[in-house]
Amino acid sequence: MRTYGRIWLKNGKWHVATEPHVQLRLKRVFARIGRHGVGTITLSDSPETCRDLQWFCDRYPHDFDNDSAAALRDGARRHRDMLLRLEHIIDPKYVARPFSMVLPPRSYQSKEAEVYLNQGFLLIADDVGLGKTCAAICSFTDPGTLPA
């Protein structure tokens, strides 16, 4: 099988050395690279980057060493698992865990807290008075978030 270059993981960054015409495509997929970069492209190592890089390599195969190939598969799997967890939480049939509060939170507030507890971060930008503070307090009832 023809390959277009080499990809390796070093010091928490993906390094991509590829042919010029493939590098142009890579810059379209990873817009944060910038159009004027040349030579070896460097990308941060995150599950999302792994998933996109794996998808890119389906179309433009590259050579990997065994450790880098395993790290790419693992990162892409973590990204897929994270999306499946989020899809499960936002499903209308999903019932969030009970949060120990004097007044029970509304279902959407519980789901917001669940998303935060699963992801470790969340930005809620809705109208005033819809319960952003309540969602935050719900998440703080989980012992894993303490001290808050």
Side-chain angles (χ1 to χ4, degrees):
M1 175 195 321
R2 182 186 192 301
T3 59
Y4 294 90
R6 189 169 72 96
I7 299 175
W8 67 97
L9 181 65
K10 183 178 178 184
N11 298 328
K13 301 226 181 260
W14 288 102
H15 301 272
V16 183
T18 190
E19 295 178 11
H21 71 283
V22 176
Q23 192 175 79
L24 290 173
R25 290 284 189 180
L26 185 72
K27 290 176 184 180
R28 287 184 185 171
V29 173
F30 296 95
R32 61 188 169 269
I33 294 172
R35 294 179 180 243
H36 302 293
V38 293
T40 300
I41 301 293
T42 304
L43 302 165
S44 63
D45 181 27
S46 71
E48 183 179 7
T49 300
C50 290
R51 182 92 182 266
D52 289 342
L53 202 51
Q54 187 180 54
W55 171 83
F56 187 81
C57 288
D58 284 344
R59 182 160 185 190
Y60 299 102
H62 283 72
D63 292 322
F64 290 89
D65 60 34
N66 287 338
D67 293 338
S68 296
L72 186 71
R73 281 191 304 272
D74 183 53
R77 180 193 47 76
R78 284 184 287 136
H79 187 260
R80 279 190 299 274
D81 292 348
M82 181 261 311
L83 289 179
L84 289 173
R85 284 192 311 272
L86 289 177
E87 286 176 2
H88 178 68
I89 291 171
I90 64 172
D91 186 332
K93 298 174 188 163
Y94 178 78
V95 178
R97 69 179 98 170
F99 290 99
S100 178
M101 296 175 58
V102 174
L103 294 175
R106 295 187 173 101
S107 65
Y108 66 88
Q109 293 165 333
S110 297
K111 285 184 179 186
E112 291 167 349
E114 288 280 357
V115 169
Y116 170 73
L117 292 170
N118 273 280
Q119 292 301 112
F121 61 91
L122 178 66
L123 175 66
I124 304 172
D126 58 18
D127 289 334
V128 174
L130 292 181
K132 293 177 285 297
T133 303
C134 180
I137 293 170
C138 286
S139 65
F140 297 148
T141 64
D142 186 287
T145 61
L146 299 177

